[in-house]
Amino acid sequence: MRKLVFIEEEVLVRLMEGKHVEGSLFRDKWTGIITFNAYKRLLKKRAKDVLIKKTPWGWLKGSATRHKRYTSMPNELTLEEQLEIMDQENEMAKRALIESYIIECV
C-alpha cells in the first residue's frame, strides 16, 4: 500500500543529511492527507555577561537582567582580613557601577 506523506522542505533536507528529526505524524480528519509536523526545537541563545570591572579578588559583570559580583580569597587569611577585603571589593564595585552609569548617560 502506498501513502503520500507531506513533509516540509527543510525537514526533508535534514533527513537527506542523515539527521534525526522529531515530530508528529497525523492524518487530517477532513481531507485524509497524512502530514508530518516537525518539532521546532531551537537552542536558547543567551547573551554573554559583560565585564564591567576586574577587581584584585574577583570581578563585576552585567547581564541583561542583573549585575553580578564575585569575590574569591584564600582560606589562609584571617576573618578580619577577609571582611576588610570584602568591604574594599564592595566599594570598588559600587564605584564601577557609578562610572558605567555615568558613561551610559553621556
Side-chain angles (χ1 to χ4, degrees):
M1 179 164 63
R2 247 184 184 194
K3 289 286 181 181
L4 293 176
V5 178
F6 287 98
I7 300 175
E8 294 178 13
E9 187 176 343
E10 57 224 21
V11 174
L12 186 61
V13 169
R14 286 185 55 104
L15 287 172
M16 296 301 284
E17 291 173 354
K19 295 183 179 175
H20 182 76
V21 179
E22 292 182 346
S24 61
L25 190 65
F26 65 94
R27 182 175 173 265
D28 191 358
K29 188 163 91 173
W30 302 107
T31 62
I33 298 173
I34 298 173
T35 307
F36 179 75
N37 185 16
Y39 298 145
K40 308 248 189 272
R41 294 189 176 157
L42 301 175
L43 296 175
K44 294 180 182 177
K45 305 261 182 184
R46 189 176 76 81
K48 296 237 178 199
D49 296 340
V50 177
L51 180 68
I52 297 173
K53 172 100 174 161
K54 173 112 173 72
T55 59
W57 298 94
W59 45 255
L60 174 68
K61 291 184 179 181
S63 68
T65 56
R66 297 179 178 266
H67 290 288
K68 302 170 188 176
R69 186 174 65 87
Y70 175 76
T71 304
S72 175
M73 58 195 87
N75 289 335
E76 291 84 36
L77 298 176
T78 64
L79 178 63
E80 293 81 19
E81 291 172 335
Q82 289 179 1
L83 293 176
E84 182 62 32
I85 288 172
M86 286 182 189
D87 289 338
Q88 291 172 357
E89 294 278 314
N90 200 28
E91 287 300 319
M92 280 189 229
K94 285 181 187 179
R95 278 186 258 128
L97 280 176
I98 292 170
E99 289 171 5
S100 67
Y101 178 76
I102 290 171
I103 291 171
E104 283 179 10
C105 291
V106 172

